[in-house]
Amino acid sequence: MNVADLGLPVAVPSTALFTDQYELTMVQAALRSGTADRRSVFEVFTRRLPEGRRYGVVAGTGRLLDAVENFRFDATILDFLTERGILDETTRAWLADYRFRGDIWGYPEGEVYFPGSPILRVEGTFAEAVLLETVILSILNHDSAVAAAASRMSVAAGERPLIEMGARRTHELAAVAASRAAYVGGFHTTSDLAAGFRYNIPTAGTSAHSFTLLHDNERDAFTAQVDSLGAGTTLLVDTYDVTEAVRTAVEVAGPGLGAVRIDSGDLLLLAHRVRQQLDELGATDTRIVVTSDLDEYAIASLAAAPVDAYGVGTQLVTGSGHPTCSMVYKLVARADSNGDGAPLRPVAKKSMGGKASHGGRKWAARRPDADGVAEAEVIGTGPVPAELADRQLMVPLVRGGEVVAREPLDAARERHIAARAGLPMSAMQLSRGEAVLPTEYV
Amino acid sequence: MNVADLGLPVAVPSTALFTDQYELTMVQAALRSGTADRRSVFEVFTRRLPEGRRYGVVAGTGRLLDAVENFRFDATILDFLTERGILDETTRAWLADYRFRGDIWGYPEGEVYFPGSPILRVEGTFAEAVLLETVILSILNHDSAVAAAASRMSVAAGERPLIEMGARRTHELAAVAASRAAYVGGFHTTSDLAAGFRYNIPTAGTSAHSFTLLHDNERDAFTAQVDSLGAGTTLLVDTYDVTEAVRTAVEVAGPGLGAVRIDSGDLLLLAHRVRQQLDELGATDTRIVVTSDLDEYAIASLAAAPVDAYGVGTQLVTGSGHPTCSMVYKLVARADSNGDGAPLRPVAKKSMGGKASHGGRKWAARRPDADGVAEAEVIGTGPVPAELADRQLMVPLVRGGEVVAREPLDAARERHIAARAGLPMSAMQLSRGEAVLPTEYV
């Protein structure tokens, strides 16, 4: 098996099985009916943002490019599909030769999006493009959901650092992708060593309650930790009595103690009390880290408290109430016959129950107002108006099957900060509301 | 690198990086303070069920055993940790030799659980047992959340088959674990080829709207599909007009058409209308599959409709509103000194903000009433009462580091059906309520 680097902490061969069975049966039927080579355009978009959210955040693009590059069917996979009776011989032979040779355009990673935004466009033959549907949606739906939650938390946290610590609350490999997406959305560090290994994200973490309980008393535990990690470490002070723990912590580590962590109780009250106590003990530079079931609202409610960093777990990796996006992958245009020269015809499912689609191959641009603040997401199928030509959002990601848009993760993180800064101020409100930009179809 | 079979569609070396950094810093500090070898008992439990839920479902145990067995630190991993400054040389040497040599007991996979149930007990030295915290919680929290949702959906569906099709709505590898958990919870098939490959779960899927849109008209599309997959296939009938599509479908495939699928619109109304039309066309054995954003409530609302199978995506893989469980991994007892002979002392964090723990190494039993229906989850730290001796819930999973409880996935699935059947009838209510069994501590 060819071994690929798929954004995992480990090498994994091929992404081709991360696929719904119907993609293969469609390829087989299309090969048989002679339509498999019709030039086709698929687009990824959402019909709506999660309820109350002001904007979405594109994340996972880098992982998606790896997945497309490594989407190959080797003998092990083909034998499985054949044994299951899913493939005929013609399809098997076609899949054995498969690699994606088409083009992909999309919103770059970290960019914001709105209902209808053509987040990704995949162009190729029907058969080569339809196959990628499941894995592309898996990656974008998961990673973008986490990044959107991260972005809101980073708005709430302002300049204070955010630590991602949700690995234990989600699938062990989803956790690695979640750390990555959180970093794109504005987090600073992660507890997840696999994410540190794979994406070079700074890692953090010192001790849990079990470490204090292991020792005969809190002083022994703090002494053991300071001996091992130095006075700059973070001591967890809520195993027994917080006030006593803080006193012991400063006695053991000295006023140069790096930080104390509070993981339970009334964080607002405790933060004030602990800050005062630390200051009285001369530990004026000792920071306070809080980490108890936080979400963006809890973070915001601590804005006036003397808190220096937030650790966020469950609510981050579960998208703060919205663990997935509703991105879909739809055929929007296709040729009437095979071959590169055939003209494209817009297609769309008939609307029923709100599942409407806009047919046609689209461009997208973000129109600024006179002050340079974004005022509309403009989406069209015809020529791009001259005044929007340099405001276009889609960039080439894959050309003729070759990935052309690899970038360091920090580029996506910085892009997100810039994109968010270009939105109207109301984008930063945590309260429920409509998408902060209207979508205009031209 | 040693290559392990971790419940993934592909081989993955080592689970040791699926770990929060603080597990390693605690090991290092404990090695230094001389407490690393204190015999310790960690337990996994939840303080509560998700709001309104009547029972939880243990899932992921099989994956967990693989993860424990393959939790090894090779040179690549150790070099990374050393370069990051996370490890000193003593800890590095200790990790290089690491394998778990302790014992694990737990509720077997598919069993139900309640607040406080000791779902898993890990016994060993502090250092060897604390290391497993993150990966164990990741697996159990994710898989059990999906299995609980699946179980409720399978109650709602009754005898009708359930198809898992949520891969596109979650991380691509979380999707594989979700298919597995859904199968444990009562689903019958999956769209996810990776889950079929890895777990031998039956797979399903025929075509999407894009296949119809690819062809010049619906008749061409249906003809192509029937030519390729036979008249027993499932035709998707809601791309344009459902009534016309059903007529065309039966004309093309004949009255032996396997099934039609409806993916949008008012499913209750459409199911009745399509059933009548199919019957009038002589296609009395043609089944109706529905697949539009279903959850357990939507499934229940279709109980009286002529629906033959349900396909469920988003709500399944996101745990139907509860994408993770709140399982924690807590030190509940430890020795005062190193060595196997030292007696165990119960330990627990002081309660603050509801984060109470019950110290001590626990047993659990489910007490039946006079009719044999479960009436209480009984948890204790002392001797097991004689009348509960054969009602105990925890079984040995790992002894001295060796996995002793591997089983086929069907065993877990059957166990779940039996466990659920032993609960009071109110467990089957979808409406919100309290845990169906009280937890009694003795």
Side-chain angles (χ1 to χ4, degrees):
Chain A
M1 283 187 152
N2 61 316
V3 171
D5 179 6
L6 297 174
L8 307 178
V10 289
V12 168
S14 185
T15 43
L17 278 174
F18 299 137
T19 298
D20 286 330
Q21 175 168 312
Y22 77 4
E23 321 288 5
L24 298 189
T25 50
M26 285 193 281
V27 167
Q28 177 167 312
L31 286 170
R32 195 143 168 166
S33 74
T35 53
D37 287 337
R38 289 186 171 189
R39 184 151 189 85
S40 296
V41 181
F42 287 85
E43 285 175 0
V44 174
F45 61 94
T46 62
R47 296 187 177 96
R48 59 187 182 285
L49 296 177
E51 205 192 322
R53 290 286 179 86
R54 310 298 181 112
Y55 59 90
V57 180
V58 177
T61 315
R63 300 207 308 117
L64 183 158
L65 296 175
D66 290 339
V68 169
E69 203 166 49
N70 293 289
F71 199 97
R72 309 288 176 90
F73 295 83
D74 66 13
T76 309
I77 295 175
L78 292 170
D79 286 350
F80 160 72
L81 297 170
T82 303
E83 280 157 26
R84 281 280 176 117
I86 295 167
L87 297 186
D88 62 20
E89 280 306 310
T90 306
T91 313
R92 182 184 171 122
W94 187 89
L95 291 177
D97 277 344
Y98 178 81
R99 55 179 289 257
F100 181 72
R101 296 181 176 87
D103 300 328
I104 302 180
W105 289 64
Y107 281 40
E109 188 157 17
E111 185 54 88
V112 298
Y113 70 84
F114 298 92
S117 295
I119 294 158
L120 202 78
R121 184 207 301 140
V122 179
E123 302 194 53
T125 67
F126 174 81
E128 74 177 336
V130 77
L131 271 186
L132 301 176
E133 176 178 23
T134 310
V135 74
I136 283 177
L137 288 178
S138 289
I139 292 171
L140 291 177
N141 273 322
H142 174 269
D143 292 15
S144 300
V146 175
S151 177
R152 284 164 61 82
M153 291 168 184
S154 94
V155 166
E159 296 297 308
R160 296 174 179 173
L162 288 162
I163 310 160
E164 186 282 304
M165 36 190 281
R168 64 190 55 198
R169 299 298 186 188
T170 186
H171 182 276
E172 66 276 21
L173 281 154
V176 185
S179 290
R180 182 186 181 283
Y183 189 74
V184 170
F187 273 57
H188 299 79
T189 55
T190 178
S191 65
D192 189 338
L193 293 170
F197 179 76
R198 175 57 185 86
Y199 297 116
N200 206 28
I201 301 171
T203 55
T206 57
S207 65
H209 297 115
S210 61
F211 186 76
T212 299
L213 295 172
L214 168 68
H215 290 81
D216 296 335
N217 53 60
E218 205 164 41
R219 182 176 298 270
D220 283 2
F222 288 177
T223 303
Q225 185 175 329
V226 170
D227 280 353
S228 175
L229 302 175
T233 192
T234 301
L235 293 171
L236 179 60
V237 293
D238 70 333
T239 304
Y240 305 115
D241 178 82
V242 173
T243 303
E244 200 174 310
V246 170
R247 189 182 315 121
T248 306
V250 178
E251 280 174 20
V252 166
L257 173 62
V260 295
R261 178 162 79 96
I262 310 169
D263 185 48
S264 57
D266 180 333
L267 298 177
L268 185 64
L269 183 75
L270 286 170
H272 280 288
R273 192 185 291 171
V274 168
R275 180 73 271 157
Q276 187 181 351
Q277 188 187 1
L278 286 169
D279 291 346
E280 286 168 5
L281 293 168
T284 52
D285 289 337
T286 300
R287 303 186 317 138
I288 298 175
V289 184
V290 296
T291 59
S292 181
D293 275 337
L294 299 177
D295 61 11
E296 61 268 45
Y297 303 103
I299 292 168
S301 75
L302 292 166
V307 166
D308 299 286
Y310 305 93
V312 189
T314 306
Q315 290 302 318
L316 176 75
V317 298
T318 59
S320 198
H322 301 291
T324 187
C325 302
S326 53
M327 291 183 196
V328 293
Y329 184 93
K330 292 293 174 189
L331 183 68
V332 296
R334 51 95 182 151
D336 281 345
S337 56
N338 293 333
D340 283 349
L344 289 173
R345 167 196 300 270
V347 295
K349 176 183 182 308
K350 189 189 162 201
S351 172
M352 187 166 62
K355 288 195 177 181
S357 300
H358 293 266
R361 180 182 186 279
K362 297 174 198 66
W363 54 263
R366 194 160 295 151
R367 193 178 66 228
D369 65 13
D371 299 321
V373 178
E375 64 170 17
E377 193 86 340
V378 188
I379 298 168
T381 52
V384 183
E387 69 274 19
L388 292 177
D390 62 350
R391 300 286 177 173
Q392 290 193 76
L393 292 160
M394 301 177 80
V395 300
L397 300 172
V398 175
R399 280 190 202 274
E402 298 302 318
V403 173
V404 297
R406 290 209 195 285
E407 61 180 9
L409 196 58
D410 279 313
R413 191 168 191 270
E414 286 156 24
R415 182 180 297 114
H416 177 59
I417 292 167
R420 198 171 65 186
L423 297 177
M425 281 294 288
S426 55
M428 309 306 153
Q429 293 175 12
L430 297 180
S431 56
R432 286 168 170 267
E434 298 302 308
V436 75
L437 294 190
T439 304
E440 295 180 7
Y441 290 92
V442 300
Chain B
M1 283 186 153
N2 62 319
V3 171
D5 180 4
L6 298 172
L8 307 178
V10 288
V12 168
S14 184
T15 44
L17 278 174
F18 299 138
T19 298
D20 286 331
Q21 175 168 314
Y22 78 5
E23 321 289 6
L24 298 189
T25 50
M26 285 192 281
V27 167
Q28 177 167 312
L31 286 170
R32 193 141 169 167
S33 73
T35 53
D37 287 337
R38 290 186 171 190
R39 186 151 187 85
S40 297
V41 181
F42 286 85
E43 285 176 359
V44 174
F45 62 94
T46 62
R47 297 187 177 95
R48 58 188 181 282
L49 296 177
E51 206 192 322
R53 291 285 178 84
R54 310 299 183 112
Y55 59 90
V57 180
V58 177
T61 316
R63 301 207 308 115
L64 182 160
L65 296 175
D66 290 340
V68 170
E69 203 166 48
N70 294 289
F71 199 98
R72 309 289 176 91
F73 294 83
D74 66 12
T76 309
I77 295 175
L78 292 171
D79 286 349
F80 160 71
L81 296 171
T82 303
E83 280 158 25
R84 281 282 177 114
I86 296 168
L87 298 186
D88 62 21
E89 280 306 311
T90 306
T91 313
R92 183 184 170 123
W94 187 90
L95 291 176
D97 277 344
Y98 178 81
R99 55 179 289 255
F100 180 73
R101 295 181 176 87
D103 300 329
I104 302 179
W105 289 64
Y107 280 40
E109 187 156 17
E111 185 54 89
V112 298
Y113 70 85
F114 298 91
S117 295
I119 293 158
L120 202 76
R121 184 207 301 139
V122 179
E123 301 193 52
T125 67
F126 174 81
E128 76 178 334
V130 76
L131 272 186
L132 300 176
E133 175 177 23
T134 310
V135 74
I136 283 178
L137 288 178
S138 289
I139 292 172
L140 290 177
N141 273 322
H142 174 268
D143 291 16
S144 299
V146 175
S151 177
R152 285 164 61 84
M153 291 168 184
S154 95
V155 166
E159 297 297 308
R160 295 173 179 174
L162 288 162
I163 309 160
E164 187 282 304
M165 38 192 278
R168 65 190 55 197
R169 298 297 185 188
T170 187
H171 182 276
E172 65 276 20
L173 280 153
V176 184
S179 289
R180 181 185 182 284
Y183 189 74
V184 170
F187 273 57
H188 300 78
T189 56
T190 178
S191 64
D192 189 337
L193 292 170
F197 178 76
R198 174 58 185 83
Y199 297 115
N200 206 27
I201 301 171
T203 56
T206 57
S207 64
H209 296 116
S210 62
F211 187 76
T212 300
L213 296 171
L214 168 69
H215 289 82
D216 296 335
N217 54 61
E218 204 164 42
R219 181 176 298 270
D220 284 2
F222 288 176
T223 303
Q225 186 177 328
V226 170
D227 281 352
S228 174
L229 302 174
T233 193
T234 300
L235 292 171
L236 179 61
V237 293
D238 70 334
T239 305
Y240 306 115
D241 178 82
V242 173
T243 304
E244 200 173 310
V246 170
R247 188 184 313 121
T248 306
V250 177
E251 281 175 17
V252 167
L257 173 62
V260 295
R261 177 161 78 97
I262 310 170
D263 185 48
S264 57
D266 181 335
L267 299 177
L268 184 65
L269 183 76
L270 286 171
H272 280 287
R273 192 186 290 171
V274 167
R275 180 74 270 157
Q276 185 180 351
Q277 188 187 1
L278 286 169
D279 290 346
E280 286 169 4
L281 293 167
T284 52
D285 290 336
T286 300
R287 302 185 319 138
I288 297 175
V289 183
V290 296
T291 58
S292 181
D293 275 336
L294 299 178
D295 61 12
E296 61 267 44
Y297 304 102
I299 291 168
S301 76
L302 292 165
V307 166
D308 300 285
Y310 305 94
V312 188
T314 306
Q315 291 302 317
L316 176 75
V317 298
T318 58
S320 199
H322 302 291
T324 187
C325 302
S326 53
M327 291 182 196
V328 292
Y329 184 92
K330 293 293 173 190
L331 182 67
V332 296
R334 51 101 181 147
D336 280 344
S337 56
N338 292 334
D340 282 351
L344 289 174
R345 165 197 299 272
V347 295
K349 177 185 180 306
K350 190 189 162 201
S351 173
M352 187 167 61
K355 288 195 176 180
S357 299
H358 292 265
R361 180 183 185 277
K362 297 175 197 66
W363 54 263
R366 195 160 295 151
R367 191 178 66 229
D369 66 12
D371 298 323
V373 178
E375 66 171 16
E377 193 85 341
V378 188
I379 298 168
T381 52
V384 182
E387 69 273 17
L388 292 177
D390 61 348
R391 300 287 177 174
Q392 290 194 74
L393 292 159
M394 299 177 82
V395 300
L397 300 172
V398 175
R399 279 191 204 272
E402 298 303 316
V403 173
V404 296
R406 290 210 193 282
E407 61 180 9
L409 196 59
D410 278 314
R413 191 168 190 270
E414 286 156 23
R415 182 179 298 116
H416 178 59
I417 293 167
R420 199 172 62 188
L423 297 177
M425 281 294 289
S426 56
M428 310 303 154
Q429 292 175 14
L430 297 180
S431 57
R432 284 164 174 270
E434 299 301 309
V436 75
L437 294 190
T439 304
E440 296 179 6
Y441 290 92
V442 299

